[in-house]
Amino acid sequence: MVYAIVELHDVSPFHREEVYSALEFLEKLGVEKFSLLLIPNFRGEYPINRYASFVSFVEKTQQEIILHGYTHTGKKRLKDILYTYGEGEFGESTLGETYDKLERAMDLVEAMQLNINVFVPPAWIGNPWLDDVLYSFGFLGVGYRGRVRNLQSGEDISSPALTFSNRYGLSYVSIKTIPLLFALFKKHPVLRLALHTADFRDRRKIALWRLILSQIKKERRLISYGELLSKSRPSPSFQGVQPAGGLV
């Protein structure tokens, strides 16, 4: 059996129109299972507790909600230039900054009574402390660019993520390369299809996602992050152990 996770990145009140378009697109395509990557306070200006109707709308989809950073903004770093430009929020965060951002994010999540236990950092960029801090907050897993890590067992599940760039120049390149990468990973056991809200401003990307997802539905079983993590059992050393915040 081969699997796929369909995920919509950058879900925020700021992108509400694109979110609506994306969900309508997925519904018309018959994609019945997908994950919504929620930004609690996009750019520090759109805290979800001020947009109760939007959060309610997201909840009513009855799809898995994933925490996607805190503000989704970070320092511009030359080494990340191919992946992002100022959105690698956790890339250079210290231990204290990492904890503070996650605490603020979880305060908003809890204020809206959302049940979230999986994290995907913006641009899939983490830092040396992120896994431990997430574990201390009770998260079960974290998704990086090429893998999903089970924080209870420490197991890495290989899982390439296909996505388009939405930056000038690289956007065109990604449109040309995504079909090639899709063919390259055709037999990979677990594949992630990372749609971004910005994709729904580009008809070319919408058309390609339609083709790719139509094929995915025929060839793979759609699952959530939670289902993927449940397939990897905790190791004996972790069984019965609750997050205790060892580092923080």
Side-chain angles (χ1 to χ4, degrees):
M1 178 69 72
V2 288
Y3 304 96
I5 296 176
V6 177
E7 52 192 77
L8 178 63
H9 287 229
D10 305 342
V11 174
S12 162
F14 178 80
H15 295 123
R16 62 167 64 85
E17 294 304 322
E18 291 87 348
V19 171
Y20 299 154
S21 296
L23 295 181
E24 182 180 11
F25 169 80
L26 292 171
E27 182 180 8
K28 287 182 177 179
L29 205 55
V31 177
E32 297 180 350
K33 181 172 292 187
F34 50 88
S35 301
L36 298 169
L37 275 63
L38 179 68
I39 306 170
N41 190 9
F42 184 64
R43 294 179 180 170
E45 299 173 359
Y46 294 87
I48 56 174
N49 61 336
R50 295 183 187 173
Y51 299 89
S53 61
F54 177 80
V55 175
S56 177
F57 171 79
V58 170
E59 283 190 284
K60 286 177 181 177
T61 65
Q62 297 185 322
Q63 301 293 340
E64 178 182 58
I65 302 175
I66 305 295
L67 187 62
H68 192 41
Y70 174 51
T71 65
H72 206 284
T73 55
K75 298 176 182 177
K76 298 178 176 69
R77 304 194 304 173
L78 184 60
K79 68 178 183 178
D80 297 330
I81 198 71
L82 287 177
Y83 306 117
T84 188
Y85 191 65
E87 294 182 323
E89 182 176 3
F90 290 86
E92 287 193 351
S93 295
T94 64
L95 171 59
E97 290 169 342
T98 300
Y99 186 91
D100 182 64
K101 289 175 183 178
L102 285 168
E103 184 174 46
R104 290 171 183 266
M106 290 307 295
D107 283 346
L108 290 173
V109 166
E110 291 170 4
M112 301 310 293
Q113 298 182 329
L114 298 173
N115 180 27
I116 299 179
N117 54 29
V118 179
F119 185 81
V120 174
W124 292 287
I125 296 171
N127 63 48
W129 306 280
L130 182 58
D131 290 0
D132 288 310
V133 176
L134 288 169
Y135 185 79
S136 77
F137 277 98
F139 281 82
L140 302 180
V142 55
Y144 292 112
R145 184 168 296 273
R147 68 193 192 280
V148 176
R149 173 164 292 176
N150 185 323
L151 294 174
Q152 306 297 306
S153 67
E155 176 189 357
D156 280 340
I157 306 165
S158 178
S159 177
L162 296 185
T163 192
F164 290 108
S165 173
N166 284 291
R167 291 160 54 203
Y168 182 76
L170 291 178
S171 177
Y172 176 78
V173 173
S174 69
I175 287 171
K176 295 298 182 182
T177 56
I178 282 294
L180 301 176
L181 291 172
F182 181 53
L184 178 65
F185 295 127
K186 189 176 182 65
K187 295 183 179 180
H188 202 282
V190 183
L191 190 61
R192 286 176 291 159
L193 293 308
L195 292 69
H196 284 75
T197 50
D199 295 346
F200 292 87
R201 305 184 202 123
D202 190 324
R203 293 181 180 179
R204 299 167 300 174
K205 293 172 183 173
I206 293 172
L208 280 171
W209 277 132
R210 183 177 291 110
L211 288 172
I212 290 171
L213 290 172
S214 295
Q215 191 168 341
I216 284 288
K217 281 178 54 189
K218 296 176 184 177
E219 299 174 349
R220 293 175 178 265
R221 178 187 165 197
L222 299 183
I223 62 172
S224 65
Y225 275 89
E227 288 173 296
L228 179 64
L229 291 167
S230 71
K231 294 179 184 297
S232 59
R233 297 177 60 188
S235 65
S237 61
F238 280 92
Q239 288 177 0
V241 177
Q242 297 299 317
L247 283 180
V248 291

